[in-house]
Amino acid sequence: MNRSTWKWIVAAGLFFAADLAVWHWSIKITSVANATLLANLAPVFVALTGWGMFGERYRSAFLIGLAVAFSGALVLMGDSLSFSPERVTGDLLGVLTAIFYAGYIISVARLRAGVGTATVMSASAVVTSLALLPVALLSGENLWPATAHGWTVLAALAVISHVGGQGLITYALAHLSAAFGSVGLLWQPVAAAILAWVILSEPLGPWQAMGGVIVLLGIYLARNASQRQYIIQEKIT
């Protein structure tokens, strides 16, 4: 835990705080579908940052897989998307969300080269909480749930989404490249559609099913390209 490590922890915490704050702001101005799809542009910004700042190079097959996976997410959510001049600000905030989440993924990937999952999660969560507190206070909303149902939802977000979901992402980034890890996260809208179908009885039509298959195909292509690139690098070194 040297100075450089702490810088990346602070960066991860601040990026994640900005991601959450801007995404929730985006949802209020544009549709949930628009905000979610645009937030899933994060893999594009991860790849661009890796190429521009860290000199990473990607096989064409990986970029094709990324494009296919994002196209699948577009097909999956196509029926819910709606673009209009009144929602431009919200849509731009959705893109900004993707940039912040890309910064978070890159920061965590850098940390996981030498820092454990629990340390990254706990230390960055403190930074995120401190950064989000003034945002929550300025929003004028009640910080404490008023009902048992509200506490249950809050606890589920903390345990399932953050500790479980973000914890597993943090663990995986020690074994996957940031670029492929972010592409794998395009599985999220597919999982959301399946869970909404099972739990909330929301309809799952043929277009959503086809979009899910396309996302999986894109992830598969990106995974194969990442494995081949890793093998080539191993042979060179």
Side-chain angles (χ1 to χ4, degrees):
M1 297 294 291
N2 52 35
R3 181 176 296 180
S4 176
T5 300
W6 281 110
K7 286 181 179 179
W8 282 113
I9 284 177
V10 171
L14 292 179
F15 274 129
F16 194 56
D19 163 70
L20 292 176
V22 174
W23 189 57
H24 284 80
W25 187 13
S26 172
I27 289 175
K28 289 185 177 181
I29 302 176
T30 188
S31 67
V32 174
N34 285 24
T36 302
L37 178 69
L38 293 171
N40 277 290
L41 284 170
V44 176
F45 294 111
V46 170
L48 287 174
T49 304
W51 172 73
M53 293 185 62
F54 304 111
E56 296 182 4
R57 296 293 180 268
Y58 307 105
R59 294 172 60 90
S60 58
F62 173 83
L63 298 177
I64 292 173
L66 169 58
V68 170
F70 186 77
S71 299
L74 182 61
V75 172
L76 175 69
M77 305 175 68
D79 289 342
S80 303
L81 295 175
S82 58
F83 295 97
S84 64
E86 294 79 13
R87 294 179 172 179
V88 169
T89 301
D91 293 339
L92 291 175
L93 289 173
V95 176
L96 187 59
T97 299
I99 294 173
F100 285 136
Y101 195 63
Y104 170 74
I105 290 293
I106 292 169
S107 300
V108 171
R110 292 281 161 176
L111 284 167
R112 287 293 285 125
V115 183
T117 300
T119 301
V120 173
M121 287 292 296
S122 57
S124 64
V126 171
V127 176
T128 298
S129 299
L130 292 175
L132 285 177
L133 180 59
V135 176
L137 293 173
L138 289 172
S139 71
E141 298 179 1
N142 187 8
L143 293 181
W144 299 100
T147 64
H149 174 73
W151 279 107
T152 302
V153 172
L154 186 64
L157 284 171
V159 176
I160 299 175
S161 298
H162 190 68
V163 176
Q166 296 298 332
L168 288 172
I169 291 171
T170 301
Y171 174 81
L173 286 174
H175 310 281
L176 303 172
S177 68
F180 173 72
S182 62
V183 172
L185 293 178
L186 286 171
W187 165 251
Q188 289 180 105
V190 181
I194 294 173
L195 290 174
W197 175 54
V198 174
I199 299 174
L200 303 176
S201 299
E202 291 188 3
L204 186 64
W207 280 104
Q208 286 82 2
M210 184 173 70
V213 172
I214 295 173
V215 169
L216 291 177
L217 174 62
I219 294 174
Y220 172 77
L221 294 174
R223 178 56 177 166
N224 275 357
S226 297
Q227 285 182 323
R228 290 175 184 173
Q229 187 169 355
Y230 177 79
I231 293 173
I232 292 172
Q233 289 175 343
E234 285 291 301
K235 289 180 178 179
I236 293 174
T237 55

